[in-house]
Amino acid sequence: MNLAADISIAWPEIFVAVTAMLLLIFGVFQGNQSARLISWLTVGVMFIAAVLVLSSHSGRTVAFNDLFVVDAFANFAKVLLLLGAALTLILAMPFNAREGIPQFEFPVLVLFAVLGMMMMVSANDLISLYLGIELQSLSLYVLAAIRRDALRSAEAGLKYFVLGALSSGILLYGMSLVYGFAGSTGFDNLAAVFAAGDHDGAPIGVIVGLVFIIAGLAFKVSAVPFHMWTPDVYEGAPTPITAFFAVAPKIAAMALFVRVMLEPFGDLFEQWQQVIWFISLASMTLGAFAAINQTNIKRLMAYSSIGHMGFVLVGLAAGNETGAQGVLLYLTVYLFMNVGTFACILAMRRQGRMVEDIDQLAGLSRTSPKMALALAIFMFSMAGIPPLAGFFGKYYVFLAAIQAELYTLAVVGLLASVVSAFYYLRIVKLMYFDEPLDAFDQPVGKEISTIVIGTSAVTALFILVLWPVLGSAAIAAATLFAV
Amino acid sequence: MFTATIFLPLIGAIIAGFVGSRLGNRFAQLVTVLPMLASAILACVILYTVGFEGQGETVHLFTWIDVGTLEISWALRFDTLTAVMVFVVTVVSAMVHVYSIGYMSHDPHIPRFMAYLSLFTFFMLALVTADNFVQMFFGWEGVGLCSYLLIGFWFEKPTANAAAIKAFVVNRVGDFGFLLGILGVFFAFGSLDFDTVFAAVPGVADQSFNFLGADVHMLTTVCLLLFIGAMGKSAQIGLHTWLPDAMEGPTPVSALIHAATMVTAGVFMVVRLSPMFEFAPVALTVIVFVGGTTAFFAATIGLTQWDIKRVIAYSTCSQLGYMFFAVGVGAYPAAIFHLMTHAFFKALLFLGSGSVIHGMHDEQDMRRMGGLFPKMKVTGTLMWIGSLALAGVPVLAGFWSKDIILESAFAAHTGMGLYAFWAGIAAALMTAFYSWRLLFLTFHGKTRADNHTFEGVHESPPIMIAPLLVLALGAIFSGYLAKEFFVGDGMEAFWGTSILMLHNVIEDAHHAPKWVAQLPTVMAAIGIAGAWLMYMLRPSWPGKLAALIRPVYQFVFSKWYFDELYDMMFIRPSFYLGRGLWKSGDGAVIDGVGPDGIAAATRDIAGRAGRMQSGYLYHYAFAMLIGIVLFASWFLFGFFQ
Amino acid sequence: MIIQALAFYLFALTAIAAGVMVISARNPVHSVLFLILAFFNSAGLFVLIGAEFIAMILVIVYVGAVAVLFLFVVMMLDINFSELREGFLQYLPIGALVGIILAAELILIFGSWVISPEAAQSIAAPSAAPSELTNTHALGRLIYTQYVYLFQAAGLVLLIAMIGAIVLTLRTRPSVRRQRIAEQVSRPVEDVIEVKDVPTGSGI
């Protein structure tokens, strides 16, 4: 237990932290004109970090007095969120340059947020969990409000901040209740305490504490009824930030959620399953129904992501290895679908202005057929139509639900995906069957077109990479149950 | 040869139908008329070889359906009955094809018309050559379809469309019976092959089945169901209403389909199935009753109609009644005999009236005709020949066939047979009367047409007259020439096994009293004289008579109120029911709860979900708190219970 | 011990009462003052359990910095609190309902509170006996060894807070005229003053 060993285990995080601070200093001296350079450097840092994560020891190791854990599950999630963050940052660069977000702090904050997320997924203690969340959240609050002169952006940031603070309070309250019972905040200790307790159920205080913790985490994954911030923040925040919000923090929070539920509280499965069951069901349903009336595509994506999180939670509610595997697979799929869709949204510009109305997509198939095709692929995939990526995500979480005999959840999930298909396919219908409006600005830019092509290819041909992804997800999921 | 006869018209129809419009009218006419003529010539040869040399055979084409115990082949069955039918169908059809070249020369859709005609001929041939019930049903439905298409050929005319739909729907009632009958046959015999079924008939003649607690004679039921199909096709009373309306179609269509061929399909079917009907005496009695009633009833209506084609249509209806009661009393050969002669003279009459209509520039109302004979001598003469044949004036075709039918009915020595006999005699009187009413109103007396129209009246071109001449030959000689084989001494040799008669009623008919044989002729004479009296000598009498017996006249003129009755009994209730089911059933319940309801509910929920998103921070925070309280309460209650 | 108990109840009740007053006082300045009172009482409670370092930190940081900052903000911002309160009152019934339910549930929970028998074993870092080390010393030892990860992470959180504050508020306004003393002082006279020779009686 020496510091050097600890550092070698946490090397990717330390690398990110140190480079983030170096970039900050660099930016302070260079000023805002270095924003683009810093952005690219940040992307580079993220890729290096991803490589470091991949090259790390694959077994489960803990560091810093059991506060920090590295295992296959954490690594899988880290790679995903690094990838998501890097892609969204690349998307953000032309937007920032164009729309007047000159601050060099932007990429630095993204990097800090990513650091927070990495700490979240590697948390092995309630306190480190909390600090990871706060590090991430604070960065996100600032990012949401970064267009401080735009009223909506400021409003989004403020709302996110206040509600996030509330959720942090709830989370901390739950942690204190749990600590009060177990006398420890370490995951390993908690697991030992609950495993030793009689299995008729833990004392009610602990369970209520667990409910509070779930509520705090559900806020982070924007699950119903803790989702209310999502549409407003998604709509208000600058579009690349929304893309970032929709991907990386969701992946991190969901991975954290799964770890917290399955590792320290794994023996309280029967208690928390009901809550997760309800949250999942409510999220799927609300995500499906509320999106129907939306006219703003970013709000639509907000509800869509609420719905997707509901589907992911189905895997968690199953509480088995297939479920955890399904969660990781779904998150992978979700990453590509969402990044791609937001790249398309970023390409929705007319006469230099961003348009966000869904109706503006009318007749896109004739004005820019390639983009329409890509968007159609994403929409079909989100609707869960085989053989696109989204289908496999849904398939594996429902498979897990069936294995766990959660038939109601599976049925409601299927119905919800039918309802949600309505609004996904409406977009396709708009693009392919309605009278075209003026074309969007051309060209959309190298960054956007590259990412759209890449993600749509992955989404369409996911079946080719399905088995490798599924295999590593299986290994990652297994580590949660090995303890 | 057999195959070629059947499929030549189909080839013509396909070519004319698919490429005719591109290659021109003349091409379409040639490509349909020539195969049709070839087919007619082949049919004559077939009649000779099969009928007189006894070389009938069944041509097996391919296996069509093979499911479990049901095996259905596509085969052409050629025995004498088929040969006669093929002969009639192809000859009349060929004549109509030729006639159509002239009659339809100004129509913009000639290829379509010719294709339909040929297609119809093919289906009709498929019907008469059928080797099993399914193939017969195929032809049966095919001719129904073509009939629909041809009645509605002038699709711009709403009345034509309505008539086409009416014909189709009324036929469906019959077809439903036919289909049930076929299913009954399969149920009873386990096969749909004619030979298999016929061989098994004596074995099941006494079987019955239980239906709703009552024991029902199986064969009778099956035969009655099949007869309902025949009633629909052959426009027997009850299901006859479509036939007069079908006159909305072009006249050649009326001649071919609604006089000579398709409407006789019912008669043919019962004759073809004589091995079954012979063992179902109750069904035969019903047939006699229906046939006799139709013969009488249709003739009464024919007395009063003003539309030249409708008169002939009711006449057709009436003559079909003759055929049916002939079948019913067991005189199948007599029925087919009348079928053949009727085909010739009725086609002649229709085509002749078509010639008149053509000459009068599409005028069909006899009240605006008269005195046309000087201008249309050939047509007039031919119509006279046709009418003489129809009325049963000696030596002409109708005389022989009608006589033998009436004699058979008398000779059957059953109550129902006598009923049919007297109905037939009355109908014969009326037939003669309305035929000459038609002739006098159209060709003789002073014209009632306006000057302009009358000036324009002209004789039809040779291409239309030539087929009439051929048919006239048939109308004059076919009876005399064929009576020996059809119903005379050569009968047994001629028909062979194609018709089964348990009791040879024709033989008895030849020994009927003399007055029975002479009565129809006397009736015809009275009818002609009466018509001459009423329409030539005292033209004011018909009006006075109509006024005198006004209720009866109204009743008859309104066609016994069948259309009104059906309108009240079926059409309005079904419209009402349909509308009710549509509005309340489909619209309110199925759509309301189903697709529309779900969609509306979805939108409603979506709206509510959207309104929850108020934008107020404290609402959001509150929602979170409520969520937590709910979860906590959930566990607390669970815990303390 | 009695004095200790008395002190505890004094501090605790005052803290609660102050907390209630914070949210119920009409004047926002009074609210902040009550908040400061609550902080002081909490500090007293910490002193009672021997955590004098935290107690002092509470007074210095919360009272000395945070609360005073609050006071300045409240005084400087022109917020119509009575208007806000109306909205608050509108939701009071349902809010009270939820609050009462939550409170009742928490009371139930604490009424049946148990501590896991295994808890004692799992206490992560038993600190040295208070008699051997000062409070500050003990904290320092834990923070910089056992919890160095958390300490650094907390540092990063604060850094983010700082960056955020700067990003969201720092503005460079080119249109605002600022006094640049160095420039003023170093300007040569001839750039600033021009002497004109004005002929008498003609004006400029």
Side-chain angles (χ1 to χ4, degrees), chain A residues 310-392:
Chain A
F311 287 114
V312 178
L313 286 171
V314 170
L316 177 56
N320 50 26
E321 227 173 291
T322 324
Q325 184 193 5
V327 167
L328 289 178
L329 182 71
Y330 204 114
L331 289 176
T332 315
V333 168
Y334 174 82
L335 162 73
F336 289 106
M337 293 190 305
N338 259 18
V339 170
T341 310
F342 274 103
C344 290
I345 294 173
L346 279 167
M348 287 170 64
R349 271 188 310 125
R350 200 167 275 144
Q351 276 117 39
R353 289 169 54 95
M354 296 295 299
V355 288
E356 296 177 353
D357 233 25
I358 294 170
D359 293 338
Q360 301 291 327
L361 286 167
L364 188 66
S365 64
R366 267 156 288 175
T367 53
S368 56
K370 284 182 208 143
M371 181 177 154
L373 177 68
L375 199 49
I377 289 174
F378 297 130
M379 290 301 128
F380 277 120
S381 174
M382 289 205 190
I385 288 166
L388 301 172
F391 166 74
F392 297 106

Side-chain angles (χ1 to χ4, degrees), chain B residues 71-90:
Chain B
E71 198 210 326
I72 292 164
S73 306
W74 196 280
L76 305 176
R77 178 194 180 97
F78 274 95
D79 53 17
T80 310
L81 179 60
T82 303
V84 171
M85 288 304 293
V86 168
F87 168 70
V88 172
V89 170
T90 52

Side-chain angles (χ1 to χ4, degrees), chain B residues 226-270:
Chain B
L226 293 171
F227 176 60
I228 290 173
M231 279 175 71
K233 259 303 162 260
S234 295
Q236 291 303 286
I237 187 167
L239 297 178
H240 68 283
T241 52
W242 64 272
L243 185 58
D245 287 13
M247 297 303 133
E248 293 288 346
T251 307
V253 172
S254 309
L256 177 62
I257 300 184
H258 306 121
T261 53
M262 186 187 85
V263 289
T264 61
V267 180
F268 164 77
M269 187 253 278
V270 178

Side-chain angles (χ1 to χ4, degrees), chain B residues 12 37 285 295 326 453 627:
Chain B
L37 285 171
T285 311
T453 315

